[in-house]
């Protein structure tokens, strides 16, 4: 019992000392001249998108670029909050966060501000006052959806009978990519044949399209909210003997820019793929460098530049440059 | 007549069959063409069967195969394996990585499948050892792989969603040229025949139930509960690998996050709808398989009815609550008692009529 108590005391003392050490080292730079950065992100196993996102940050925030990085990955908001608080206690200079959920961050970001830690948000926005972070570099899912819908309108098809396969309901990507299409359904330029969620699952997407085919209803567009679901939808078309893609009966639209998906576009099996860029690290790196040189940031919310490729314009070079995964 | 009804009502298959019957009737009233089957030519130039009935049988095959293993585990271990979908993701990832490393020929395909079976059986045995030897509750023991399985699959895939394409895969996930029935249905039938033969010509079924009902008695009679449980997990491992590989072949892509997403719950549900007690003991495999088809028929019905995305799960839940409540002993006994009351007045007449 006694030894345990002593041990606890020693540990507590060590903790206090290390905290004090951190407190004193809160100048902008570490002893070895490196900028200390704490990154809170979702785990790379979440998706191909996230894997590319994590790899991008590992590449840019390297020792060669003058950073000393600590990372924490979790899908759970409370774990992320604890980790962020820990990074603040550890005395990082910059805190980069892609939040698992949009709420509950105000307290931690206020602590960061008090401790002089500068916060950047990437990939996802959160529900906090804009004064609590330096800048946010995010994707605008709605803009992606608008790009796809605009492209579709530009094709000037005689009629638009759309099978709309949604992602997991309530997710950022689903809400953003559904809205522009819903507007078209509402104003009557496009007809909603089916709108159903496949919760990002390829096999479910295939079943949904199968059920539309079985019902005998006519459709000429499949708008799938990610690449995997588009692939599942196409598998159902292939089994039913319906042509798709360039010169096919059904227009196929996917999202996310997986390399394999772009290859489908290049081969003319799909018509369009819209980017969801996981590359935010370079922009944040540039902004940190500006701050370090004593400059001011001009933008609070930076929207990732995103693009699309259709089967008429895509080249192999585009796939190599912009595709994610392999 | 009365005794036949009583027997039917008490039979384990009564409720699942009745539920399936109701679903069929409901769909026929809603759309008489619902179950019509047509012959189409697919993009590979083969004549194939298509229609909602085919979609249901085809779509349920993975869940049905998984439910075979789950039934055995449920019966012998008095609990469920909630890691089946996650282990299927691992098996699928192994399958894809072998295929991607080689040119896809029939021997390579068989090797890939065999390897994924081995991996899946090993993971399943890990669960089995925790449950059978260390006597940890199945749900707790399998919780480990439930949470870690998809991360392991991620690690095998290198974080991406690798694709594979080959006519061979299309013929497993879709149609074999010249055969108009989807291959997953055929695989399911083969599985069902195999397991029927095993149960008929070995004592596995009996021993499994004995272990589930009373482990001590089983032990005293020279049946090793540990081995029986491990065998259940081994069979489940093979089922899991098969389900994983079929799903990969369907789409030609492995997504460790969404492969058979939430399938463990559907499988457990299939076992429950099939009238099997989730607390172990007596089981009926065909009940579980029918349960799997009920779930799929329900899903296809909801799609056909164009139920809004956000409401699909709620509708599914309502129907399932109804099925589960109807098959509860309380309701069953009530129905039998009501039936007796209604027909008690004229038993003699019935006898006379029969004699005449």
């Amino acid at each position: 019992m006694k030894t345990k108590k002593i041990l606890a005391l020693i540990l507590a003392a060590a903790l206090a000392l290390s905290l004090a050490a951190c407190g004193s080292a809160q100048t902008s730079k570490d002893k070895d001249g490196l900028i200390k950065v704490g990154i809170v992100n979702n785990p790379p196993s979440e998706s191909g998108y996230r894997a590319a996102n994590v790899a991008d940050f590992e590449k840019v925030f390297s020792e060669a670029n003058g950073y000393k990085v600590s990372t924490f990955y979790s899908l759970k908001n409370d774990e992320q909050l604890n980790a962020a608080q820990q990074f603040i206690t550890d005395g990082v200079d910059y805190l980069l966060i892609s939040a698992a959920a949009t709420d509950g961050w105000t307290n931690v970001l206020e602590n960061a501000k008090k401790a002089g830690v500068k916060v950047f948000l990437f990939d996802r926005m959160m529900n906090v006052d804009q004064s609590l972070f330096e800048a946010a570099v995010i994707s605008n899912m709605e803009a992606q959806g608008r790009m796809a819908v605009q492209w579709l309108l530009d094709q000037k098809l005689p009629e638009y009978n759309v099978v709309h396969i949604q992602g997991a309901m309530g997710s950022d990507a689903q809400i953003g990519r559904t809205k522009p299409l819903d507007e078209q359904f509402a104003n009557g330029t496009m007809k909603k044949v089916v709108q159903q969620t496949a919760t990002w699952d390829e096999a479910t997407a295939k079943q949904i399209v199968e059920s539309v085919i079985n019902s005998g209803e006519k459709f000429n567009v499949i708008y799938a909210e990610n690449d995997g679901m588009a692939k599942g939808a196409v598998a159902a078309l292939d089994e039913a003997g319906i042509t798709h893609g360039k010169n096919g009966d059904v227009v196929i639209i996917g999202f996310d820019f997986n390399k394999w998906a772009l290859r489908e576009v290049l081969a003319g099996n799909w018509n369009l793929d819209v980017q969801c860029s996981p590359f935010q690290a370079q922009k944040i790196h540039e902004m940190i460098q500006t701050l370090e040189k004593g400059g001011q940031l001009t933008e609070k919310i930076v929207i990732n530049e995103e693009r699309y490729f259709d089967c008429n314009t895509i080249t192999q070079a585009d796939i190599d440059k912009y595709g994610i995964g392999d | 007549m009365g005794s036949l009804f009583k027997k039917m009502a008490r039979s384990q298959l009564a409720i699942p069959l009745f539920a399936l019957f109701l679903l069929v009737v409901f769909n026929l009233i809603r759309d008489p063409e619902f179950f019509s089957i047509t012959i189409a030519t697919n993009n590979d130039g083969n004549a194939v069967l298509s229609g909602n009935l085919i979609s249901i049988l085809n779509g349920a095959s993975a869940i049905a195969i998984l439910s075979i293993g789950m039934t055995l585990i449920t019966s012998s271990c008095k609990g469920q394996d909630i890691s089946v979908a996650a282990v299927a993701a691992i098996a699928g990832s192994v399958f894809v990585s072998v295929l991607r490393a080689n040119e896809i020929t029939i021997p390579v395909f068989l090797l890939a499948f065999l390897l994924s079976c081995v991996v899946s059986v090993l993971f399943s045995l890990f669960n089995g050892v925790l449950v059978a030897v260390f006597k940890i509750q199945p749900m707790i023991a399998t919780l480990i792989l439930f949470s870690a399985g998809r991360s392991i699959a991620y690690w095998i895939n290198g974080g991406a969603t690798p694709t594979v394409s080959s006519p061979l895969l299309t013929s497993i996930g879709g149609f074999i040229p010249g055969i108009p029935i989807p291959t997953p249905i055929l695989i399911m039938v083969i599985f069902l025949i195999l397991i029927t033969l095993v149960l008929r010509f070995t004592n596995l079924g009996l021993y499994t139930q004995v272990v589930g009902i009373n482990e001590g008695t089983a032990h005293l009679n020279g049946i090793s509960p540990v081995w029986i449980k491990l065998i259940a997990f081994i069979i489940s491992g093979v089922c899991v690998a098969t389900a994983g590989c079929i799903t990969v072949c369907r789409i030609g892509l492995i997504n460790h996050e969404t492969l058979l997403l939430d399938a463990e719950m559907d499988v457990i549900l299939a076992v429950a709808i099939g009238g099997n007690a989730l607390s172990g003991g007596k089981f009926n495999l065909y009940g579980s398989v029918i349960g799997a088809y009920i779930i799929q028929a329900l899903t296809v019905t909801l799609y056909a009815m164009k139920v809004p995305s956000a409401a699909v799960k709620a509708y599914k839940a309502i129907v399932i609550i109804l099925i589960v409540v109807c098959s509860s002993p309380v309701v069953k006994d009530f129905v039998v008692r009501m039936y007796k009351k209604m027909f008690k007045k004229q038993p003699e007449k019935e006898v006379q009529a029969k004699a005449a």
Side-chain angles (χ1 to χ4, degrees):
Chain A
M1 238 3 234
K2 216 172 194 182
T3 48
K4 256 192 188 167
K5 265 186 190 163
I6 293 171
L7 195 67
L9 268 177
I10 292 174
L11 281 177
L15 197 67
L17 268 177
S18 64
L19 280 181
C22 277
S24 63
Q26 258 189 19
T27 49
S28 173
K29 295 216 171 148
D30 199 50
K31 272 178 220 146
D32 26 350
L34 298 175
I35 303 171
K36 285 173 77 179
V37 176
I39 301 178
V40 177
N41 201 345
N42 296 276
S45 59
E46 180 212 65
S47 58
Y49 170 88
R50 192 61 57 185
N53 181 248
V54 166
D56 180 47
F57 275 83
E58 277 171 2
K59 200 178 89 193
V60 172
F61 289 92
S62 61
E63 219 158 292
N65 279 346
Y67 294 102
K68 189 177 172 193
V69 182
S70 324
T71 48
F72 179 81
Y73 303 126
S74 174
L75 280 172
K76 299 201 174 85
N77 213 36
D78 53 332
E79 289 181 10
Q80 283 195 341
L81 284 164
N82 282 337
Q85 187 60 53
Q86 187 59 44
F87 284 145
I88 296 167
T89 317
D90 289 348
V92 294
D93 303 313
Y94 294 93
L95 191 55
L96 318 184
I97 306 170
S98 169
T102 50
D103 292 309
W105 284 90
T106 306
N107 217 344
V108 169
L109 295 200
E110 274 169 0
N111 289 346
K113 197 167 193 185
K114 268 182 230 153
V117 177
K118 297 193 172 77
V119 177
F120 284 91
L121 310 184
F122 64 94
D123 171 35
R124 295 176 181 181
M125 263 317 276
M126 45 173 94
N127 269 337
V128 290
D129 193 81
Q130 291 210 353
S131 65
L132 290 175
F133 57 87
E134 301 298 317
V137 182
I138 52 171
S139 287
N140 186 335
M141 304 289 182
E142 200 182 314
Q144 294 166 14
R146 275 194 204 292
M147 249 193 275
V149 168
Q150 191 52 51
W151 178 89
L152 201 49
L153 289 172
D154 290 344
Q155 302 311 301
K156 305 217 172 359
L157 300 181
E159 51 181 355
Y160 291 92
N161 297 318
V162 185
V163 173
H164 179 192
I165 304 173
Q166 298 171 292
M169 297 305 286
S171 63
D172 234 24
Q174 180 270 319
I175 295 170
R177 291 168 188 174
T178 293
K179 198 178 167 205
L181 195 57
D182 265 348
E183 287 168 8
Q184 302 298 322
F185 291 150
N187 70 23
T189 43
M190 295 183 186
K191 182 174 167 272
K192 171 165 76 178
V193 177
V194 157
Q195 182 177 54
Q196 188 58 263
T197 177
T199 56
W200 308 124
D201 180 27
E202 296 79 14
T204 311
K206 178 170 179 260
Q207 286 175 16
I208 292 170
V209 176
E210 265 178 32
S211 113
V212 184
I213 295 170
N214 291 338
S215 76
E217 274 185 271
K218 275 191 186 156
F219 61 97
N220 64 346
V221 177
I222 290 182
Y223 180 101
E225 287 179 358
N226 79 354
D227 287 338
M229 297 193 298
K231 193 167 168 64
V234 167
L237 295 183
D238 278 337
E239 278 184 11
I242 298 169
T243 57
H244 50 83
K246 202 174 179 174
N247 307 324
D249 290 340
V250 179
V251 172
I252 308 289
I253 298 174
F255 289 84
D256 285 354
F257 263 31
N258 285 296
K259 274 194 177 136
W260 57 260
L262 292 176
R263 282 195 288 269
E264 296 279 2
V265 178
L266 183 65
N269 294 330
W270 297 12
N271 300 70
L272 179 76
D273 205 38
V274 182
Q275 185 180 27
C276 180
S277 170
F279 309 120
Q280 300 114 6
Q282 186 58 35
K283 184 72 196 171
I284 295 181
H285 167 63
E286 283 164 15
M287 290 196 285
I288 289 180
Q289 293 306 323
T290 311
L291 287 177
E292 285 294 310
K293 285 179 191 133
Q296 289 283 322
L297 297 182
T298 49
E299 294 170 287
K300 201 76 188 180
I301 298 197
V302 185
I303 304 290
N304 251 349
E305 261 179 55
E306 281 159 343
R307 64 187 72 226
Y308 64 79
F309 290 122
D310 70 24
C311 52
N312 296 316
T313 56
I314 191 169
T315 63
Q316 183 60 44
D318 293 332
I319 300 180
D320 297 336
K321 188 168 178 198
Y322 296 103
I324 60 177
D326 62 357
Chain B
M1 167 88 187
S3 71
L4 182 72
F5 180 84
K6 218 158 59 182
K7 213 172 145 194
M8 286 252 307
R10 287 260 162 86
S11 154
Q12 212 186 325
L13 294 184
I15 296 293
L17 282 175
F18 186 63
L20 198 57
F21 173 75
L22 277 188
L23 264 175
V24 169
V25 169
F26 174 76
N27 274 311
L28 284 178
I29 292 171
R30 208 179 49 76
D31 172 15
E33 301 268 286
F34 190 76
F35 289 107
S36 65
I37 294 177
T38 54
I39 296 179
T41 310
N42 70 5
N43 281 350
D44 296 330
N46 300 316
V48 299
L49 295 178
S50 76
N52 282 316
L53 191 61
I54 300 291
S55 286
I56 293 170
L57 292 175
N58 190 2
S61 34
I63 302 286
I65 290 173
L66 287 174
S67 73
I68 293 175
M70 186 69 83
T71 309
L72 293 177
I73 291 177
T74 300
S75 168
S76 60
C77 306
K78 308 183 195 70
Q80 287 71 42
D81 179 353
I82 55 171
S83 71
V84 282
V87 175
I90 298 175
S93 306
V94 171
F95 181 65
V96 169
S97 46
V98 174
L99 290 180
R100 278 172 66 89
N102 302 283
E103 199 183 325
I104 303 174
T105 56
I106 291 181
V108 168
F109 177 84
L110 290 177
L111 177 80
F113 176 63
L114 204 68
L115 218 73
S116 78
C117 273
V118 169
V119 170
S120 153
V121 166
L122 284 178
F123 275 106
S124 204
L125 269 179
F126 168 78
N127 287 333
V129 169
L130 289 181
V131 171
V133 180
F134 291 95
K135 310 233 182 287
I136 300 172
Q137 284 190 2
M139 206 166 274
I140 306 299
T142 54
L143 192 60
I144 300 168
L145 279 174
F146 171 75
S147 22
R150 293 193 188 268
S151 303
I152 297 171
Y154 157 77
W155 171 75
I156 297 171
N157 292 330
T161 52
T163 52
V164 279
S165 67
S166 142
L168 195 58
L169 294 193
T170 322
S171 62
I172 298 299
F175 296 87
I176 298 171
I179 300 178
I181 300 169
T183 318
I185 298 182
L186 299 177
I187 296 174
M188 173 58 210
V189 170
I190 293 172
F191 253 77
L192 210 57
I193 292 173
L194 279 180
I195 200 78
T196 306
L197 290 178
V198 167
L199 291 182
R200 178 148 292 225
F201 292 108
T202 69
N203 288 328
L204 183 71
L206 180 67
Y207 288 180
T208 304
Q209 300 189 37
V210 171
V211 169
I213 292 167
N214 192 328
E215 239 174 85
T217 314
H219 192 70
L220 287 177
N221 282 289
I223 303 167
S224 159
V226 172
W227 273 110
I228 294 295
K229 287 178 186 175
L230 287 182
I231 288 172
F233 274 99
I234 291 172
I235 293 175
S236 172
V238 176
C239 294
V240 164
T242 312
C245 293
I246 289 178
T247 312
V248 168
C249 289
R250 268 188 216 284
I251 314 291
L253 164 103
I254 172 92
N255 181 342
H256 51 267
E257 281 303 318
T258 58
L259 180 99
L260 290 172
L261 187 72
D262 297 337
E264 60 276 338
M265 291 307 148
D266 278 348
V267 174
I268 294 172
L269 196 62
V271 174
I273 291 178
N276 297 298
L278 293 187
S279 50
K282 277 189 74 178
F283 71 86
N284 188 329
L285 268 180
Y286 309 107
S288 305
V289 173
I290 293 170
Y293 289 121
I294 291 176
I295 294 173
Q296 189 63 27
L298 185 57
T299 310
V300 169
T301 306
L302 291 179
Y303 288 155
M305 287 170 69
K306 296 189 183 177
V307 170
S309 302
V312 167
K313 279 188 178 165
Y315 276 86
K316 234 176 159 176
I318 292 171
V319 177
I320 283 157
I321 289 170
L322 282 178
I323 298 176
V324 174
V325 168
C326 287
S327 60
S328 71
V330 178
V331 176
K332 265 190 185 174
D333 282 349
F334 177 75
V335 171
V336 170
R337 253 186 295 134
M338 285 301 287
Y339 183 86
K340 269 187 192 163
K341 260 188 199 166
M342 278 166 66
F343 291 91
K344 218 174 189 175
K345 287 168 195 165
Q346 16 158 312
E348 278 171 30
K349 269 184 197 167
E350 221 172 79
V351 172
Q352 278 169 0
K354 259 185 194 167

